């Protein structure tokens, strides 16, 4: 319960700051703050529900360009890692042996790709844990 109280107080502080910035007046009533925090939480839940519906519609779409963009990103990330850690070192080694006068291709800069890969792996691991635990998170999210 302490974590929920902390988040609600953060929401309340944010609401208070936005309202003060727009209207110039301060909210003094704690009940009004709680009502505004509840309204904000309801709006956030509705946004999450809407995004889940969009995700489900995209996944069910027959076109590969709509349903396949997430797997495509996974494949691109996997190919980048395969190039960086398997193919590129092997090519550099082979060029050093058989064609030392050729300049090997540069290595990739994966600094922007790692957060994406780790995020995808984290979400996949959470879903796998839920499945193993017998939790249907899709049913929990729907209501």
């Amino acid at each position: 319960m302490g974590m929920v109280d902390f988040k609600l107080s953060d929401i309340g502080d944010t609401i208070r700051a936005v309202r003060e910035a727009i209207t110039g007046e301060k909210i003094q009533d704690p009940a009004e703050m709680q009502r505004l925090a509840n309204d904000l939480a309801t709006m956030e839940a509705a946004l999450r529900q809407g995004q889940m519906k969009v995700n489900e519609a995209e996944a069910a779409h027959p076109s590969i360009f709509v349903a396949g963009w997430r797997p495509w990103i996974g494949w691109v990330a996997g190919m980048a890692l395969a190039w960086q850690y398997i193919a590129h070192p092997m090519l550099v080694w082979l060029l050093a042996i058989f064609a030392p006068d050729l300049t090997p291709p540069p290595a990739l800069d994966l600094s922007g790709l790692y957060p994406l890969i780790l995020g995808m792996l984290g979400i996949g691991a959470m879903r796998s844990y839920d499945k193993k635990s017998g939790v249907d998170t899709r049913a929990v999210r729907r209501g």
Side-chain angles (χ1 to χ4, degrees), residues 44-141:
E44 287 177 344
L47 285 172
R48 281 194 296 273
Q49 281 288 76
Q51 184 61 53
M52 286 188 311
K53 287 180 182 178
V54 169
N55 293 349
E56 288 174 5
E58 282 182 353
H61 199 279
S63 171
I64 189 73
F65 294 107
V66 176
W69 74 270
R70 285 187 179 114
W72 179 79
I73 289 174
W75 279 106
V76 167
M79 288 186 291
L81 288 175
W83 168 258
Q84 186 70 14
Y85 295 110
I86 298 170
H88 184 263
M90 292 291 285
L91 180 62
V92 169
W93 178 67
L94 290 172
L95 286 175
I97 293 172
F98 297 109
D101 54 326
L102 291 179
T103 304
L108 298 176
D109 176 18
L110 298 181
S111 61
L113 192 61
Y114 285 128
L116 177 69
I117 293 170
L118 294 174
M120 291 176 73
L121 291 174
I123 291 169
M126 287 188 313
R127 181 69 185 128
S128 296
Y129 178 78
D130 287 343
K131 283 182 177 180
K132 183 179 176 188
S133 301
V135 176
D136 185 6
T137 56
R138 291 170 290 175
V140 171
R141 287 186 204 130

Side-chain angles (χ1 to χ4, degrees), residues 15-16 19-20 25-30 32-33 36:
I15 292 170
R16 185 179 300 116
R19 183 170 171 165
E20 287 176 15
E25 60 186 59
K26 294 184 178 188
I27 301 172
Q28 300 296 331
D29 184 18
E32 176 71 6
M33 280 302 300
L36 291 172

